[in-house]
Amino acid sequence: MTSHSNGDTLTGEFLILPSELKPEYDQRLVFGFGYLPSTNEYKVVRCSYTELNNVWKGHVAVYTLGSQNGWREKEDILYILYSSGLFVNGVIHWIGKIGEQVPRIVAFDLADEKFKCVSTLPLDSFTAFDTFRLSLLGGNMCFIHTVWDESQDCDEIQDIWALKKRDNNAKIRQPRVTREYYDHNWSWSKDFHIAFGGPEMCNYKPFAITKSNEVLLCQDYRKLCIYDSNTSTLTKLWDGDSNGFFRPSSNPSHEHTCFFKDLGECSGDNVTSDIESSDSKMSTS
């Protein structure tokens, strides 16, 4: 488990969690991590899966750091959860679906330790080649939808949808009760449509939005790009070495160089919080 933060200071603490996992439950594993301010508790949520007659069942367990109680088994779920859970707005979110149903967002409330369906996705159909993921960008929970389309001038298209309040697009940063989040006052806004061309420009993952509404994207910890929504241009800023460290590209602009040195230009609470999230595909294999 990665180190957690206390305010703006990294504590450097880590904990190796006990496995205590039955062999038949390890066909698929999904995790989530979040903080419950009302009790000052950090919790890890684990969902392990078994398959029987083409039906997946998720076995949910919760580990509360410092409780000494180990993993506590919760109610099983039929949702197939994709990727790691995203902690935002006080709860842990996943994209999930049951059988052939359309995927939607489900959340685990750390207070009552139950799963809830909290929002539909902005799209109601996907192809087997689409990838999708949740991300925290610019203080908003975002749905990132990637389409591979060789029929156009680019190889990859990425749409970034942000979940915002309808009235004034306010960003909710303080934890609230789950059921209050995504009612009729909330809606999806497609804030960015990014087209990638050529093999070198594929598999970039957005991880931050600047105050000037540019998108920072990272590829395999080694390359960095920035997307300007005003000009619809994608510029490579940094190339990395074999160790994954960033180094300047041949001609980064002075503005972008200064910007990268000062990550305070990025809006959002944690500009690196989403780099490690993996893409989700429609297949459960």
Side-chain angles (χ1 to χ4, degrees), residues 97-115:
K97 72 169 187 173
I98 298 176
E100 298 303 319
Q101 295 180 6
V102 175
R104 61 176 301 145
I105 295 178
V106 296
F108 187 83
D109 192 320
L110 295 175
D112 61 17
E113 297 187 346
K114 293 182 178 180
F115 274 93

PDB file of all heavy atoms in Angstrom, residues 97-115:
ATOM      1  N   LYS A  97     -20.691  -3.073 -13.462  1.00  0.00           N
ATOM      2  CA  LYS A  97     -21.891  -3.516 -14.165  1.00  0.00           C
ATOM      3  C   LYS A  97     -22.251  -4.925 -13.723  1.00  0.00           C
ATOM      4  O   LYS A  97     -21.420  -5.674 -13.202  1.00  0.00           O
ATOM      5  CB  LYS A  97     -21.706  -3.458 -15.679  1.00  0.00           C
ATOM      6  CG  LYS A  97     -20.775  -4.513 -16.249  1.00  0.00           C
ATOM      7  CD  LYS A  97     -20.866  -4.532 -17.770  1.00  0.00           C
ATOM      8  CE  LYS A  97     -20.070  -5.686 -18.365  1.00  0.00           C
ATOM      9  NZ  LYS A  97     -20.296  -5.814 -19.818  1.00  0.00           N
ATOM     10  N   ILE A  98     -23.502  -5.279 -13.939  1.00  0.00           N
ATOM     11  CA  ILE A  98     -23.995  -6.621 -13.662  1.00  0.00           C
ATOM     12  C   ILE A  98     -24.342  -7.283 -14.987  1.00  0.00           C
ATOM     13  O   ILE A  98     -25.176  -6.771 -15.740  1.00  0.00           O
ATOM     14  CB  ILE A  98     -25.239  -6.586 -12.760  1.00  0.00           C
ATOM     15  CG1 ILE A  98     -24.900  -5.961 -11.405  1.00  0.00           C
ATOM     16  CG2 ILE A  98     -25.790  -7.996 -12.552  1.00  0.00           C
ATOM     17  CD1 ILE A  98     -26.107  -5.815 -10.487  1.00  0.00           C
ATOM     18  N   GLY A  99     -23.693  -8.407 -15.278  1.00  0.00           N
ATOM     19  CA  GLY A  99     -23.975  -9.131 -16.516  1.00  0.00           C
ATOM     20  C   GLY A  99     -23.781  -8.264 -17.739  1.00  0.00           C
ATOM     21  O   GLY A  99     -22.748  -7.631 -17.922  1.00  0.00           O
ATOM     22  N   GLU A 100     -24.830  -8.204 -18.583  1.00  0.00           N
ATOM     23  CA  GLU A 100     -24.763  -7.433 -19.817  1.00  0.00           C
ATOM     24  C   GLU A 100     -25.359  -6.043 -19.666  1.00  0.00           C
ATOM     25  O   GLU A 100     -25.595  -5.345 -20.654  1.00  0.00           O
ATOM     26  CB  GLU A 100     -25.491  -8.193 -20.939  1.00  0.00           C
ATOM     27  CG  GLU A 100     -24.883  -9.545 -21.259  1.00  0.00           C
ATOM     28  CD  GLU A 100     -23.417  -9.439 -21.653  1.00  0.00           C
ATOM     29  OE1 GLU A 100     -23.072  -8.501 -22.401  1.00  0.00           O
ATOM     30  OE2 GLU A 100     -22.621 -10.267 -21.184  1.00  0.00           O
ATOM     31  N   GLN A 101     -25.630  -5.632 -18.447  1.00  0.00           N
ATOM     32  CA  GLN A 101     -26.179  -4.294 -18.232  1.00  0.00           C
ATOM     33  C   GLN A 101     -25.166  -3.219 -18.621  1.00  0.00           C
ATOM     34  O   GLN A 101     -23.964  -3.457 -18.677  1.00  0.00           O
ATOM     35  CB  GLN A 101     -26.585  -4.111 -16.766  1.00  0.00           C
ATOM     36  CG  GLN A 101     -27.724  -4.994 -16.305  1.00  0.00           C
ATOM     37  CD  GLN A 101     -28.072  -4.744 -14.845  1.00  0.00           C
ATOM     38  OE1 GLN A 101     -27.533  -3.844 -14.201  1.00  0.00           O
ATOM     39  NE2 GLN A 101     -28.986  -5.551 -14.323  1.00  0.00           N
ATOM     40  N   VAL A 102     -25.674  -2.026 -18.868  1.00  0.00           N
ATOM     41  CA  VAL A 102     -24.808  -0.893 -19.170  1.00  0.00           C
ATOM     42  C   VAL A 102     -24.021  -0.520 -17.909  1.00  0.00           C
ATOM     43  O   VAL A 102     -24.597  -0.442 -16.814  1.00  0.00           O
ATOM     44  CB  VAL A 102     -25.638   0.309 -19.643  1.00  0.00           C
ATOM     45  CG1 VAL A 102     -24.750   1.535 -19.848  1.00  0.00           C
ATOM     46  CG2 VAL A 102     -26.371  -0.036 -20.929  1.00  0.00           C
ATOM     47  N   PRO A 103     -22.713  -0.295 -18.013  1.00  0.00           N
ATOM     48  CA  PRO A 103     -21.933   0.090 -16.827  1.00  0.00           C
ATOM     49  C   PRO A 103     -22.438   1.397 -16.231  1.00  0.00           C
ATOM     50  O   PRO A 103     -22.968   2.264 -16.920  1.00  0.00           O
ATOM     51  CB  PRO A 103     -20.510   0.257 -17.389  1.00  0.00           C
ATOM     52  CG  PRO A 103     -20.490  -0.542 -18.635  1.00  0.00           C
ATOM     53  CD  PRO A 103     -21.866  -0.441 -19.213  1.00  0.00           C
ATOM     54  N   ARG A 104     -22.250   1.543 -14.929  1.00  0.00           N
ATOM     55  CA  ARG A 104     -22.593   2.770 -14.228  1.00  0.00           C
ATOM     56  C   ARG A 104     -21.615   2.945 -13.075  1.00  0.00           C
ATOM     57  O   ARG A 104     -20.728   2.107 -12.870  1.00  0.00           O
ATOM     58  CB  ARG A 104     -24.034   2.730 -13.728  1.00  0.00           C
ATOM     59  CG  ARG A 104     -24.331   1.625 -12.742  1.00  0.00           C
ATOM     60  CD  ARG A 104     -25.756   1.753 -12.240  1.00  0.00           C
ATOM     61  NE  ARG A 104     -25.967   3.037 -11.593  1.00  0.00           N
ATOM     62  CZ  ARG A 104     -27.122   3.732 -11.658  1.00  0.00           C
ATOM     63  NH1 ARG A 104     -28.136   3.276 -12.355  1.00  0.00           N
ATOM     64  NH2 ARG A 104     -27.251   4.882 -11.024  1.00  0.00           N
ATOM     65  N   ILE A 105     -21.757   4.031 -12.346  1.00  0.00           N
ATOM     66  CA  ILE A 105     -20.861   4.283 -11.225  1.00  0.00           C
ATOM     67  C   ILE A 105     -21.499   3.761  -9.947  1.00  0.00           C
ATOM     68  O   ILE A 105     -22.644   4.075  -9.632  1.00  0.00           O
ATOM     69  CB  ILE A 105     -20.556   5.783 -11.080  1.00  0.00           C
ATOM     70  CG1 ILE A 105     -19.785   6.277 -12.316  1.00  0.00           C
ATOM     71  CG2 ILE A 105     -19.730   6.050  -9.825  1.00  0.00           C
ATOM     72  CD1 ILE A 105     -19.487   7.749 -12.290  1.00  0.00           C
ATOM     73  N   VAL A 106     -20.748   2.937  -9.228  1.00  0.00           N
ATOM     74  CA  VAL A 106     -21.174   2.455  -7.922  1.00  0.00           C
ATOM     75  C   VAL A 106     -20.155   2.953  -6.900  1.00  0.00           C
ATOM     76  O   VAL A 106     -18.984   3.184  -7.224  1.00  0.00           O
ATOM     77  CB  VAL A 106     -21.286   0.923  -7.875  1.00  0.00           C
ATOM     78  CG1 VAL A 106     -22.369   0.437  -8.811  1.00  0.00           C
ATOM     79  CG2 VAL A 106     -19.952   0.265  -8.234  1.00  0.00           C
ATOM     80  N   ALA A 107     -20.619   3.151  -5.673  1.00  0.00           N
ATOM     81  CA  ALA A 107     -19.746   3.711  -4.644  1.00  0.00           C
ATOM     82  C   ALA A 107     -19.882   2.938  -3.352  1.00  0.00           C
ATOM     83  O   ALA A 107     -20.951   2.404  -3.036  1.00  0.00           O
ATOM     84  CB  ALA A 107     -20.075   5.186  -4.414  1.00  0.00           C
ATOM     85  N   PHE A 108     -18.795   2.895  -2.619  1.00  0.00           N
ATOM     86  CA  PHE A 108     -18.785   2.264  -1.295  1.00  0.00           C
ATOM     87  C   PHE A 108     -18.738   3.365  -0.256  1.00  0.00           C
ATOM     88  O   PHE A 108     -17.784   4.149  -0.187  1.00  0.00           O
ATOM     89  CB  PHE A 108     -17.574   1.344  -1.160  1.00  0.00           C
ATOM     90  CG  PHE A 108     -17.583   0.522   0.099  1.00  0.00           C
ATOM     91  CD1 PHE A 108     -18.292  -0.661   0.168  1.00  0.00           C
ATOM     92  CD2 PHE A 108     -16.861   0.937   1.219  1.00  0.00           C
ATOM     93  CE1 PHE A 108     -18.303  -1.430   1.319  1.00  0.00           C
ATOM     94  CE2 PHE A 108     -16.859   0.179   2.376  1.00  0.00           C
ATOM     95  CZ  PHE A 108     -17.587  -1.003   2.429  1.00  0.00           C
ATOM     96  N   ASP A 109     -19.794   3.438   0.557  1.00  0.00           N
ATOM     97  CA  ASP A 109     -19.884   4.435   1.614  1.00  0.00           C
ATOM     98  C   ASP A 109     -19.082   3.937   2.808  1.00  0.00           C
ATOM     99  O   ASP A 109     -19.386   2.891   3.388  1.00  0.00           O
ATOM    100  CB  ASP A 109     -21.347   4.647   1.997  1.00  0.00           C
ATOM    101  CG  ASP A 109     -21.549   5.873   2.876  1.00  0.00           C
ATOM    102  OD1 ASP A 109     -20.703   6.108   3.763  1.00  0.00           O
ATOM    103  OD2 ASP A 109     -22.537   6.596   2.672  1.00  0.00           O
ATOM    104  N   LEU A 110     -18.052   4.675   3.192  1.00  0.00           N
ATOM    105  CA  LEU A 110     -17.184   4.250   4.289  1.00  0.00           C
ATOM    106  C   LEU A 110     -17.881   4.324   5.640  1.00  0.00           C
ATOM    107  O   LEU A 110     -17.410   3.726   6.611  1.00  0.00           O
ATOM    108  CB  LEU A 110     -15.918   5.097   4.311  1.00  0.00           C
ATOM    109  CG  LEU A 110     -14.996   4.938   3.100  1.00  0.00           C
ATOM    110  CD1 LEU A 110     -13.833   5.919   3.185  1.00  0.00           C
ATOM    111  CD2 LEU A 110     -14.482   3.515   2.989  1.00  0.00           C
ATOM    112  N   ALA A 111     -19.002   5.044   5.742  1.00  0.00           N
ATOM    113  CA  ALA A 111     -19.710   5.170   7.011  1.00  0.00           C
ATOM    114  C   ALA A 111     -20.536   3.922   7.318  1.00  0.00           C
ATOM    115  O   ALA A 111     -20.366   3.293   8.356  1.00  0.00           O
ATOM    116  CB  ALA A 111     -20.597   6.410   7.001  1.00  0.00           C
ATOM    117  N   ASP A 112     -21.440   3.546   6.391  1.00  0.00           N
ATOM    118  CA  ASP A 112     -22.264   2.355   6.640  1.00  0.00           C
ATOM    119  C   ASP A 112     -21.701   1.105   5.974  1.00  0.00           C
ATOM    120  O   ASP A 112     -22.254   0.020   6.101  1.00  0.00           O
ATOM    121  CB  ASP A 112     -23.710   2.590   6.193  1.00  0.00           C
ATOM    122  CG  ASP A 112     -23.830   2.885   4.709  1.00  0.00           C
ATOM    123  OD1 ASP A 112     -22.884   2.612   3.951  1.00  0.00           O
ATOM    124  OD2 ASP A 112     -24.888   3.405   4.308  1.00  0.00           O
ATOM    125  N   GLU A 113     -20.580   1.259   5.232  1.00  0.00           N
ATOM    126  CA  GLU A 113     -19.867   0.154   4.590  1.00  0.00           C
ATOM    127  C   GLU A 113     -20.787  -0.653   3.677  1.00  0.00           C
ATOM    128  O   GLU A 113     -20.837  -1.880   3.736  1.00  0.00           O
ATOM    129  CB  GLU A 113     -19.204  -0.742   5.637  1.00  0.00           C
ATOM    130  CG  GLU A 113     -18.135  -0.005   6.437  1.00  0.00           C
ATOM    131  CD  GLU A 113     -17.336  -0.903   7.363  1.00  0.00           C
ATOM    132  OE1 GLU A 113     -17.783  -2.060   7.588  1.00  0.00           O
ATOM    133  OE2 GLU A 113     -16.273  -0.472   7.849  1.00  0.00           O
ATOM    134  N   LYS A 114     -21.502   0.071   2.827  1.00  0.00           N
ATOM    135  CA  LYS A 114     -22.372  -0.561   1.846  1.00  0.00           C
ATOM    136  C   LYS A 114     -22.148   0.047   0.471  1.00  0.00           C
ATOM    137  O   LYS A 114     -21.792   1.221   0.349  1.00  0.00           O
ATOM    138  CB  LYS A 114     -23.844  -0.400   2.248  1.00  0.00           C
ATOM    139  CG  LYS A 114     -24.230  -1.149   3.509  1.00  0.00           C
ATOM    140  CD  LYS A 114     -25.720  -0.979   3.809  1.00  0.00           C
ATOM    141  CE  LYS A 114     -26.126  -1.759   5.051  1.00  0.00           C
ATOM    142  NZ  LYS A 114     -27.575  -1.601   5.359  1.00  0.00           N
ATOM    143  N   PHE A 115     -22.376  -0.785  -0.563  1.00  0.00           N
ATOM    144  CA  PHE A 115     -22.297  -0.311  -1.934  1.00  0.00           C
ATOM    145  C   PHE A 115     -23.619   0.329  -2.328  1.00  0.00           C
ATOM    146  O   PHE A 115     -24.694  -0.124  -1.939  1.00  0.00           O
ATOM    147  CB  PHE A 115     -21.981  -1.459  -2.891  1.00  0.00           C
ATOM    148  CG  PHE A 115     -20.513  -1.740  -3.027  1.00  0.00           C
ATOM    149  CD1 PHE A 115     -19.898  -2.689  -2.230  1.00  0.00           C
ATOM    150  CD2 PHE A 115     -19.748  -1.043  -3.950  1.00  0.00           C
ATOM    151  CE1 PHE A 115     -18.545  -2.947  -2.350  1.00  0.00           C
ATOM    152  CE2 PHE A 115     -18.396  -1.287  -4.081  1.00  0.00           C
ATOM    153  CZ  PHE A 115     -17.785  -2.242  -3.281  1.00  0.00           C
TER     154      PHE A 115
END
